Amino acid sequence: MSRKIVVGYDGSKSAKAALDFSVSLAKAEGGSVVVAHVLEWSPYSFLTPEELEERHKRRGEELERAETAVLKPVVDQLSGSGIAVSTALKYGHITDTLCKIAKDEGADQIIIGRTGHSGLATRIFGSVAGSLAQAAPVPVTIVP
Amino acid sequence: MKNLFRAAAIAVPATLAASAPAMAQSLDQQINDGFANATGWFVSFIFSPFPGTTFPWIVAWLVIAATIFTVYFGLIQFRAFPHSISLVKGDYSDPNDAGEVSHFQALATALSGTVGLGNIAGVAVAVSIGGPGATFWMILAGLMGMASKFTECTLGVKYRNEYDDGTVSGGPMYYMTKGFAERGLPLGRFMAILFSVFCILGALGGGNMFQANQAHAQITNVVGEYPGWITGIVFAGIVFAVIVGGLKSIARVTEKVVPIMGVMYVLTALVILLMNANMIGWAFGEIFRGAFTGAGVAGGMVGALIQGFKRAAFSNEAGVGSAAIAHSAVKTKEPITEGFVSLLEPFIDTVVICTMTALVIIITGQLIMDPSTGMYLLDEGASTIQTVGDNKGVALTSAAFSSAFPAFKYILAIAVILFAFSTMISWSYYGLKAWTFLFGEGHTKELVFKVIFCIFVIIGASASLGPVIDFSDAAIFAMAVVNIVALYCLMPIVKRELISYQSRLKSGEIAKFH
């Protein structure tokens, strides 16, 4: 049986660790990896009239930047590794969107890095790792 | 001899000190007089009454339009209300479009342009001239105005320009030109030009001078009197930094704080109403009594009606066309969905927020009534009702709220300044859109408008309330004159969209995503 792993990736150091772990897991078990990048976005945020006018254009630019700067290097890097790699690029709330990607892709598990914050900041803002562990439809692995 | 020198030495600085405020006051006075002279003819034309009556034709114009749209679309504002809420919540938004402008965002931005001093100061003006009865007509105008807003915003999205680089431009200028051409009607271009001219004046008037003027009034109310041009220059400087210097951070902060302030304003009003819960019945009684009898106000029942309708239109801008510019950027395949969303705007703005202001002013007993006759006492000019402490405009609202919470004066001052500021930013954008429609796009052309806009901030803060409010009303209503003619001509298009959308909604072709 081939496993499908969704790995949350934003180009950070911890995300790279999560990616490495996913790749080694996929290699060992003969699975595939979906590299998922989420652009934080709320439809309930407030914009100025000028920002509204330019939103469609900016969205295009943001997607292109994410594609070339974040996802493409990963795909290139893994092209010779022998495992099947695909990407997912979405706007939304990070936790909810990762769960949705896992569901849509029919993935078996989600792997993410962690930011290493603890204490006050996490108490106030919550952490992606923590809320994902609560909300995910599939097992979640958090890589230090 | 020595004493004489000493006396002179004391006298000279004293004279200088005395003449400085006098000079400042006279500068304000000069700006005021010059402004009143320059705009008087325009104001008297817009507000001229029907021959032989005191009823201004422009008020009838707006009310008749709102009534026609309400009937033509079969009470759309009530029928579509739940669906509007559903659209704002994003129930019908494709998740794959995340990152585009949502219905909520378009509504919030349009609202921050309309929720402003009209809701705080404008309402105070309305009830102090028209009495509590003005509130009734204001609410009615707000409810009817929802249909006007629905019509204009649907057209705004339908006929917007989408450019190759992904930016969009929309508004009455575009539906006048493209919509008229589509229906084979003449004069579309001419109307678009006329609308743009009035839109620029409206942006400088209600969207700018009125805001600066009342922000200054609010500040002096807290810190004491000082010349208006000082506030004007500070405000103009900040506006300049945002619209010319591209200091987006200030605008962004304002956009985020304004909704919070709006919610806080309504909640405080609710608390004051609850504290006076036993008076709420009486207040509504006063509103109804005043609406149909006038209760001694200048012009009687008609006076109350005119004030109510005028202030509602000025506050929610339904039929004016400004909202059609703000709503045009939304991501939707169905222009009519933005019409549904936009009809919530007059509801929130007028039926909720304006009514709160009016109720608080009435319930806290700011308007002085003769208990023996039940008639309101008028001041010397017999035009406005006497108020406790002789407050006018924003000062009246401030006094009403402070009578329950003394510290609210300061919170309101901050709210007023932020509301004024966000309204100015929105209107500078509307004005700029009209300006570029007339003169074309280009850095220098845009800069000219932005500089003019900033100069008017200073004039607005310096002039006295009377001429400013007259000109502001006149300019905004002039926009409505042109815009409503266009809406009449194009409303069959909206009807067609409505019928098609409703049948697809019924058949399940348009369904919720969640």
Side-chain angles (χ1 to χ4, degrees):
Chain A
M1 165 204 157
S2 94
R3 301 185 53 132
K4 199 171 202 180
I5 301 165
V6 168
V7 53
Y9 185 79
D10 62 0
S12 68
K13 214 174 141 197
S14 65
K16 284 190 174 117
L19 180 68
D20 292 344
F21 182 76
S22 311
V23 169
S24 58
L25 204 66
K27 266 185 188 153
E29 301 183 7
S32 62
V33 173
V34 180
V35 184
H37 180 59
V38 180
L39 295 155
E40 181 83 64
W41 170 257
S42 163
Y44 304 112
S45 60
F46 294 98
L47 304 174
T48 65
E50 255 184 315
E51 286 175 306
L52 289 190
E53 177 185 317
E54 291 172 352
R55 187 60 223 157
H56 184 68
K57 180 180 161 193
R58 294 264 173 273
R59 181 178 185 264
E61 289 167 1
E62 285 164 12
L63 287 174
E64 198 188 316
R65 198 181 318 137
E67 191 70 52
T68 51
V70 182
L71 294 176
K72 194 169 174 294
V74 177
V75 175
D76 291 349
Q77 181 200 329
L78 297 180
S79 61
S81 65
I83 55 164
V85 179
S86 59
T87 59
L89 179 56
K90 291 232 186 289
Y91 273 93
H93 182 262
I94 294 181
T95 311
D96 296 350
T97 312
L98 280 177
C99 291
K100 198 177 173 310
I101 293 171
K103 218 181 282 169
D104 293 350
E105 294 277 348
D108 305 283
Q109 67 163 312
I110 301 174
I111 297 180
I112 53 164
R114 65 176 192 204
T115 48
H117 293 304
S118 61
L120 192 62
T122 309
R123 268 177 204 279
I124 296 171
F125 301 113
S127 75
V128 172
S131 44
L132 192 62
Q134 292 288 342
V138 291
V140 178
T141 305
I142 297 163
V143 181
Chain B
M1 196 65 189
K2 203 174 169 189
N3 277 346
L4 197 64
F5 272 121
R6 191 177 294 160
I10 294 168
V12 170
T15 335
L16 277 179
S19 66
M23 269 164 62
Q25 287 303 337
S26 74
L27 179 64
D28 275 13
Q29 192 57 44
Q30 276 173 15
I31 292 176
N32 196 30
D33 292 347
F35 181 72
N37 287 336
T39 57
W41 64 271
F42 179 58
V43 172
S44 21
F45 168 68
I46 293 290
F47 292 117
S48 56
F50 285 115
T53 65
T54 52
F55 200 94
W57 65 274
I58 186 72
V59 176
W61 174 258
L62 285 167
V63 178
I64 292 170
T67 313
I68 289 176
F69 297 133
T70 303
V71 173
Y72 185 72
F73 294 112
L75 298 175
I76 190 72
Q77 59 267 63
F78 304 111
R79 283 197 297 138
F81 199 85
H83 187 62
S84 304
I85 306 261
S86 198
L87 284 166
V88 175
K89 278 166 61 196
D91 292 351
Y92 291 89
S93 309
D94 186 342
N96 290 323
D97 285 340
E100 300 276 9
V101 175
S102 66
H103 284 301
F104 178 89
Q105 284 166 328
L107 177 67
T109 305
L111 262 178
S112 77
T114 63
V115 174
L117 290 168
N119 305 65
I120 301 174
V123 175
V125 172
V127 296
S128 61
I129 299 176
T135 316
F136 175 85
W137 300 111
M138 190 179 72
I139 296 174
L140 188 67
L143 290 171
M144 307 275 266
M146 291 163 77
S148 311
K149 199 79 121 181
F150 163 78
T151 316
E152 63 189 4
C153 290
T154 303
L155 291 169
V157 175
K158 187 169 170 65
Y159 293 107
R160 63 185 169 187
N161 271 5
E162 293 179 67
Y163 301 106
D164 294 339
D165 69 352
T167 56
V168 284
S169 268
M173 317 65 109
Y174 297 94
Y175 57 70
M176 283 165 189
T177 44
K178 291 157 85 176
F180 273 50
E182 191 183 299
R183 295 210 65 201
L185 296 167
L187 297 178
R189 177 87 195 154
F190 169 74
M191 294 199 28
I193 291 171
L194 204 58
F195 176 84
S196 300
V197 171
F198 291 139
C199 183
I200 292 167
L201 294 179
L204 297 175
N208 177 338
M209 296 176 56
F210 176 68
Q211 311 294 329
N213 182 280
Q214 290 293 285
H216 173 69
Q218 180 63 62
I219 298 170
T220 54
N221 194 26
V222 174
V223 305
E225 280 296 330
Y226 68 94
W229 56 266
I230 298 177
T231 311
I233 285 177
V234 174
F235 255 76
I238 303 173
V239 171
F240 187 86
V242 173
I243 64 176
V244 180
L247 251 185
K248 289 224 176 83
S249 51
I250 299 179
R252 218 168 274 147
V253 168
T254 322
E255 295 295 322
K256 285 180 177 61
V257 178
V258 160
I260 299 169
M261 281 286 180
V263 171
M264 226 170 85
Y265 184 78
V266 172
L267 288 181
T268 314
L270 277 175
V271 170
I272 295 175
L273 295 184
L274 285 177
M275 283 161 60
N276 298 286
N278 58 334
M279 303 268 286
I280 294 177
W282 170 83
F284 275 103
E286 278 302 289
I287 289 172
F288 279 106
R289 188 174 71 98
F292 298 104
T293 66
V297 305
M301 177 187 150
V302 176
L305 183 144
I306 292 172
Q307 282 304 319
F309 280 138
K310 254 171 95 169
R311 301 268 53 94
F314 185 67
S315 171
N316 67 40
E317 297 164 16
V320 168
S322 52
I325 303 175
H327 280 280
S328 306
V330 73
K331 171 74 188 180
T332 180
K333 292 177 193 78
E334 304 289 340
I336 201 139
T337 55
E338 200 51 28
F340 288 132
V341 168
S342 70
L343 64 77
L344 296 173
E345 216 183 295
F347 184 81
I348 298 170
D349 180 276
T350 307
V351 181
V352 178
I353 305 182
C354 285
T355 307
M356 287 295 162
T357 307
L359 280 173
V360 169
I361 293 174
I362 296 165
I363 239 169
T364 56
Q366 299 298 315
L367 306 172
I368 300 173
M369 192 202 284
D370 181 351
S372 58
T373 61
M375 294 291 174
Y376 287 94
L377 298 174
L378 301 182
D379 66 5
E380 289 140 28
S383 59
T384 56
I385 298 173
Q386 285 181 23
T387 55
V388 178
D390 199 23
N391 293 308
K392 283 195 179 62
V394 71
L396 178 59
T397 310
S398 181
F401 276 83
S402 308
S403 69
F405 300 109
F408 194 77
K409 199 170 151 181
Y410 304 104
I411 300 173
L412 189 69
I414 297 169
V416 161
I417 292 166
L418 287 170
F419 282 152
F421 186 70
S422 78
T423 306
M424 281 185 201
I425 299 294
S426 296
W427 273 94
S428 74
Y429 177 79
Y430 302 155
L432 184 66
K433 286 280 121 183
W435 183 270
T436 53
F437 182 82
L438 287 180
F439 302 112
E441 285 171 23
H443 185 73
T444 321
K445 288 173 187 162
E446 291 177 19
L447 188 66
V448 171
F449 174 76
K450 288 170 177 176
V451 170
I452 295 174
F453 194 83
C454 291
I455 293 170
F456 270 78
V457 175
I458 304 173
I459 301 178
S462 310
S464 65
L465 179 60
V468 167
I469 209 167
D470 287 346
F471 173 71
S472 303
D473 282 355
I476 284 188
F477 289 147
M479 288 168 73
V481 173
V482 187
N483 187 44
I484 286 172
V485 171
L487 296 183
Y488 285 148
C489 296
L490 300 174
M491 66 186 190
I493 295 174
V494 180
K495 183 92 164 205
R496 211 158 56 215
E497 295 268 330
L498 178 64
I499 292 168
S500 149
Y501 182 81
Q502 279 178 328
S503 72
R504 279 177 295 148
L505 195 63
K506 213 170 177 183
S507 73
E509 194 185 325
I510 295 170
K512 293 189 184 188
F513 276 91
H514 302 291

